[in-house]
Amino acid sequence: MPNRNVNSLNLWPHQRGAIEACNRYFKSASTRSGLVQMPTGTGKTGVMATISAVRADVKPVLVVCPSVALVQQLIDDFSGLFWKKIGADPAWGLEKTFHLLPSLVDDAIKVMDGAQSKRVVVFSTVQALQQIHAGAHYGRFAGRFGTVLFDEGHREPATLWARAVRELGAPTVLFSATPFRNDLKIFDVDPDHIDFLSFEQAVANRLIRGVEIVEEVIDGGASGFAR
């Protein structure tokens, strides 16, 4: 197994903190979900990529996100772009990724079962997972994933797919750039395993820029505003 020591990575302190929080969650064997909330632009993808790279050493990881475009972006980042960006050893890049579609359930099973020593991360949209869950083959995924990561899952009606997540029977971490909503109850988030970076903290730590709201009265209505 290649040397993949998280301490060797060029990560920000808050990213390391989020990863450590997730590790505590995994070790706790909690039957509830963990949650990582970080404002956009503060390195959430890097945290997900690192967790996936480490957890996939033991069992395939499932990453779920809202759109096909984001699936491809995450595949590119997890496979190599993120690691190149932070100057990490190429060994951190994933050996096998798979874009899960409703028509490719059999292929996904074959990839996971035939991976041998390769780390496998399966990527899916929320919609694709819902469609598979509504069919007859969803049960084939039970027990096959060691970790489930949900990126920006709050964008979809959570009640339609929270059940699908629980039925996978794997530790699940929700990642969001949006402050907490009622999804905490739907996904049964464990209050002991929440990592929260506020917008104010991110600005104070010079991770992102602040927002200044300027109110002006513009003459000429919409046309005046456009000009």
Side-chain angles (χ1 to χ4, degrees), residues 117-141:
S117 61
K118 293 183 179 179
R119 291 168 299 146
V120 177
V121 177
V122 176
F123 296 81
S124 173
T125 63
V126 174
Q127 296 88 341
L129 196 65
Q130 286 179 205
Q131 290 179 41
I132 298 171
H133 180 255
H137 302 290
Y138 195 73
R140 298 176 63 190
F141 287 128

Side-chain angles (χ1 to χ4, degrees), residues 22-108:
C22 288
N23 287 335
R24 288 193 295 272
Y25 163 70
F26 296 135
K27 291 178 181 178
S28 75
S30 174
T31 58
R32 307 171 78 178
S33 299
L35 174 66
V36 174
Q37 194 280 324
M38 300 167 61
T40 300
T42 56
K44 176 164 54 68
T45 298
V47 174
M48 295 176 62
T50 304
I51 291 172
S52 295
V54 174
R55 297 283 292 180
D57 265 329
V58 179
K59 212 169 184 180
V61 173
L62 174 64
V63 177
V64 186
C65 62
S67 70
V68 172
L70 187 52
V71 163
Q72 190 55 56
Q73 179 181 323
L74 291 176
I75 289 176
D76 292 342
D77 282 333
F78 285 30
S79 297
L81 289 182
F82 171 70
W83 310 114
K84 183 177 181 180
K85 180 179 179 180
I86 65 171
D89 188 314
W92 281 91
L94 301 174
E95 292 94 349
K96 194 67 179 177
T97 60
F98 188 88
H99 184 179
L100 178 62
L101 298 173
S103 61
L104 298 178
V105 172
D106 288 342
D107 293 336

Side-chain angles (χ1 to χ4, degrees), residues 10 109 158:
N10 185 24
I109 299 295

